[in-house]
Amino acid sequence: QVQLVESGGGLVQAGGSLRLSCAASGRTFSNYAMGWFRQVPGKERDFVAAINWSGSATYYVGSVKGRFTISRDNAKNMVYLQIDSLKPDDTAIYYCAAALSANYYVGADFGSWGQGTQVTVSS
């Protein structure tokens, strides 16, 4: 299994930035794709971004393209989500997740999840 711990959330004004971090442990970090998801109470958990095992390929939901950047540092067992130009609609709990495959694809199985970190964007 892999254990994931998110951090970096907070309260930010619209237009501001945050960098979320996810620390992984438990199995070889570089062997699997990683993703970020977000969820608003009462709504489904939505895919936000993913990155393949090496960091050479990234994927984003359309609503965050150009504003969010996913990255990873395999030497540190870390994955990051840089969030710029925050909007109130970005308010959600953000979850880090580890896939069971090295490469991301639509429908990929993310078997491990962090506890989430709250991002709140004020207008």
mmCIF file of all heavy atoms in Angstrom, residues 38-46 91-93 95 118:
data_model
loop_
_atom_site.group_PDB
_atom_site.id
_atom_site.type_symbol
_atom_site.label_atom_id
_atom_site.label_comp_id
_atom_site.label_asym_id
_atom_site.label_seq_id
_atom_site.Cartn_x
_atom_site.Cartn_y
_atom_site.Cartn_z
ATOM 1 N N ARG A 38 -10.780 16.793 -6.548
ATOM 2 C CA ARG A 38 -11.384 17.721 -5.605
ATOM 3 C C ARG A 38 -12.864 17.407 -5.445
ATOM 4 O O ARG A 38 -13.507 16.864 -6.337
ATOM 5 C CB ARG A 38 -11.176 19.176 -6.025
ATOM 6 C CG ARG A 38 -11.834 19.572 -7.336
ATOM 7 C CD ARG A 38 -11.421 20.990 -7.710
ATOM 8 N NE ARG A 38 -12.029 21.423 -8.957
ATOM 9 C CZ ARG A 38 -11.758 22.571 -9.563
ATOM 10 N NH1 ARG A 38 -10.869 23.417 -9.025
ATOM 11 N NH2 ARG A 38 -12.365 22.882 -10.701
ATOM 12 N N GLN A 39 -13.384 17.791 -4.296
ATOM 13 C CA GLN A 39 -14.765 17.480 -3.984
ATOM 14 C C GLN A 39 -15.385 18.588 -3.156
ATOM 15 O O GLN A 39 -14.791 19.063 -2.193
ATOM 16 C CB GLN A 39 -14.865 16.150 -3.233
ATOM 17 C CG GLN A 39 -16.283 15.673 -2.994
ATOM 18 C CD GLN A 39 -16.313 14.272 -2.413
ATOM 19 O OE1 GLN A 39 -15.386 13.851 -1.734
ATOM 20 N NE2 GLN A 39 -17.388 13.552 -2.681
ATOM 21 N N VAL A 40 -16.573 18.985 -3.544
ATOM 22 C CA VAL A 40 -17.394 19.921 -2.797
ATOM 23 C C VAL A 40 -18.461 19.105 -2.078
ATOM 24 O O VAL A 40 -19.008 18.159 -2.656
ATOM 25 C CB VAL A 40 -18.043 20.955 -3.725
ATOM 26 C CG1 VAL A 40 -18.977 21.878 -2.951
ATOM 27 C CG2 VAL A 40 -16.975 21.765 -4.447
ATOM 28 N N PRO A 41 -18.773 19.424 -0.833
ATOM 29 C CA PRO A 41 -19.814 18.669 -0.133
ATOM 30 C C PRO A 41 -21.095 18.580 -0.940
ATOM 31 O O PRO A 41 -21.572 19.572 -1.494
ATOM 32 C CB PRO A 41 -20.020 19.478 1.151
ATOM 33 C CG PRO A 41 -18.694 20.097 1.405
ATOM 34 C CD PRO A 41 -18.169 20.446 0.039
ATOM 35 N N GLY A 42 -21.638 17.377 -1.024
ATOM 36 C CA GLY A 42 -22.860 17.148 -1.763
ATOM 37 C C GLY A 42 -22.669 16.882 -3.244
ATOM 38 O O GLY A 42 -23.647 16.641 -3.946
ATOM 39 N N LYS A 43 -21.439 16.925 -3.718
ATOM 40 C CA LYS A 43 -21.161 16.682 -5.122
ATOM 41 C C LYS A 43 -20.155 15.548 -5.275
ATOM 42 O O LYS A 43 -19.510 15.124 -4.318
ATOM 43 C CB LYS A 43 -20.619 17.943 -5.796
ATOM 44 C CG LYS A 43 -21.580 19.118 -5.775
ATOM 45 C CD LYS A 43 -21.060 20.292 -6.581
ATOM 46 C CE LYS A 43 -21.055 19.975 -8.064
ATOM 47 N NZ LYS A 43 -20.631 21.151 -8.877
ATOM 48 N N GLU A 44 -20.045 15.062 -6.490
ATOM 49 C CA GLU A 44 -19.111 13.983 -6.792
ATOM 50 C C GLU A 44 -17.678 14.478 -6.720
ATOM 51 O O GLU A 44 -17.394 15.657 -6.939
ATOM 52 C CB GLU A 44 -19.386 13.428 -8.190
ATOM 53 C CG GLU A 44 -20.723 12.730 -8.347
ATOM 54 C CD GLU A 44 -20.743 11.411 -7.630
ATOM 55 O OE1 GLU A 44 -19.860 10.567 -7.899
ATOM 56 O OE2 GLU A 44 -21.635 11.209 -6.796
ATOM 57 N N ARG A 45 -16.798 13.553 -6.415
ATOM 58 C CA ARG A 45 -15.381 13.857 -6.463
ATOM 59 C C ARG A 45 -14.948 13.943 -7.927
ATOM 60 O O ARG A 45 -15.217 13.040 -8.718
ATOM 61 C CB ARG A 45 -14.584 12.783 -5.735
ATOM 62 C CG ARG A 45 -13.095 13.059 -5.657
ATOM 63 C CD ARG A 45 -12.365 11.957 -4.915
ATOM 64 N NE ARG A 45 -12.810 11.842 -3.536
ATOM 65 C CZ ARG A 45 -12.338 10.959 -2.672
ATOM 66 N NH1 ARG A 45 -11.395 10.109 -3.047
ATOM 67 N NH2 ARG A 45 -12.806 10.915 -1.437
ATOM 68 N N ASP A 46 -14.292 15.028 -8.280
ATOM 69 C CA ASP A 46 -13.935 15.288 -9.665
ATOM 70 C C ASP A 46 -12.436 15.184 -9.890
ATOM 71 O O ASP A 46 -11.633 15.612 -9.060
ATOM 72 C CB ASP A 46 -14.391 16.687 -10.089
ATOM 73 C CG ASP A 46 -15.885 16.835 -10.146
ATOM 74 O OD1 ASP A 46 -16.574 15.851 -10.459
ATOM 75 O OD2 ASP A 46 -16.378 17.952 -9.892
ATOM 76 N N THR A 91 -12.975 26.344 -4.813
ATOM 77 C CA THR A 91 -13.139 25.951 -3.417
ATOM 78 C C THR A 91 -13.592 24.506 -3.329
ATOM 79 O O THR A 91 -14.607 24.121 -3.913
ATOM 80 C CB THR A 91 -14.150 26.866 -2.721
ATOM 81 O OG1 THR A 91 -13.645 28.205 -2.685
ATOM 82 C CG2 THR A 91 -14.410 26.403 -1.295
ATOM 83 N N ALA A 92 -12.834 23.708 -2.613
ATOM 84 C CA ALA A 92 -13.120 22.281 -2.491
ATOM 85 C C ALA A 92 -12.098 21.657 -1.568
ATOM 86 O O ALA A 92 -11.101 22.285 -1.194
ATOM 87 C CB ALA A 92 -13.066 21.592 -3.858
ATOM 88 N N ILE A 93 -12.347 20.411 -1.219
ATOM 89 C CA ILE A 93 -11.320 19.609 -0.585
ATOM 90 C C ILE A 93 -10.534 18.927 -1.698
ATOM 91 O O ILE A 93 -11.115 18.287 -2.570
ATOM 92 C CB ILE A 93 -11.911 18.555 0.365
ATOM 93 C CG1 ILE A 93 -12.730 19.226 1.458
ATOM 94 C CG2 ILE A 93 -10.804 17.711 0.977
ATOM 95 C CD1 ILE A 93 -13.471 18.250 2.348
ATOM 96 N N TYR A 95 -7.776 16.205 -2.943
ATOM 97 C CA TYR A 95 -7.233 14.914 -2.562
ATOM 98 C C TYR A 95 -6.121 14.489 -3.503
ATOM 99 O O TYR A 95 -6.247 14.607 -4.720
ATOM 100 C CB TYR A 95 -8.315 13.836 -2.601
ATOM 101 C CG TYR A 95 -9.449 14.045 -1.637
ATOM 102 C CD1 TYR A 95 -10.582 14.757 -2.003
ATOM 103 C CD2 TYR A 95 -9.389 13.517 -0.352
ATOM 104 C CE1 TYR A 95 -11.629 14.945 -1.118
ATOM 105 C CE2 TYR A 95 -10.429 13.699 0.536
ATOM 106 C CZ TYR A 95 -11.552 14.412 0.143
ATOM 107 O OH TYR A 95 -12.587 14.585 1.024
ATOM 108 N N GLN A 118 -8.158 21.356 2.526
ATOM 109 C CA GLN A 118 -9.194 22.302 2.149
ATOM 110 C C GLN A 118 -8.606 23.515 1.460
ATOM 111 O O GLN A 118 -7.672 24.143 1.968
ATOM 112 C CB GLN A 118 -9.976 22.755 3.390
ATOM 113 C CG GLN A 118 -11.047 23.806 3.105
ATOM 114 C CD GLN A 118 -12.228 23.245 2.360
ATOM 115 O OE1 GLN A 118 -12.764 22.196 2.730
ATOM 116 N NE2 GLN A 118 -12.650 23.929 1.298
#
